[in-house]
Amino acid sequence: MYLEIIGLAVSILGLIAVLWQLGVVGKQLKLQNYSEYTRRYAEVVYRLPEIINDNEKFEISALNDNEREDFMRNQRAYFDLCFEEWNLHNRGLIDAESWRIWSGGIETALKRKAFIQAWEIIKDTTEYGPDFEKWVDSKVLR
């Protein structure tokens, strides 16, 4: 009887240790995932021209061919990243706080003329699906 109690206690302690370790690994994976998306976001935004922040002056049509091509390539990368984040959120694969931060950033970007103009072009040439497209359209400041 005494050995059974010790065996049960050791088993319970082992289970607690495994559950604790799983929690630690889960937190590390979330942090790694968040860091990766933050890195990708920074890379995309860094490559965008500074004039995108000026709603009065920015016009895609005013960019020369090379500037327009670079701008649209980076905007496509940005909206692809937004779609991935939105999809992760809808599938319950990111926590609410991360989604709050990411969706807030997307909403802020969609107040800028540059992003609005790019979205109008991109949604006509890229298939993200009606749910994402409707979500983005609902965030666009018109």
Side-chain angles (χ1 to χ4, degrees), residues 33-34 37 81-107 132 135-136 138-139:
N33 188 42
Y34 186 83
Y37 276 88
L81 181 63
C82 292
F83 175 73
E84 290 177 38
E85 293 170 348
W86 175 86
N87 190 35
L88 288 171
H89 165 70
N90 282 352
R91 294 173 54 208
L93 297 175
I94 59 167
D95 61 273
E97 180 62 14
S98 294
W99 177 243
R100 186 189 66 72
I101 293 167
W102 290 349
S103 64
I106 294 166
E107 288 182 36
F132 176 73
W135 182 80
V136 173
S138 76
K139 304 300 177 193

Side-chain angles (χ1 to χ4, degrees), residues 8 10 17 21 32 53 65-66 73 92 109 113-114 122 127 129 135:
L8 179 61
V10 168
Q21 186 63 31
Q32 183 179 4
N53 295 309
D65 289 344
N66 288 336
R73 182 181 309 108
K113 191 175 181 180
I122 289 169
E127 181 62 40
W135 182 80

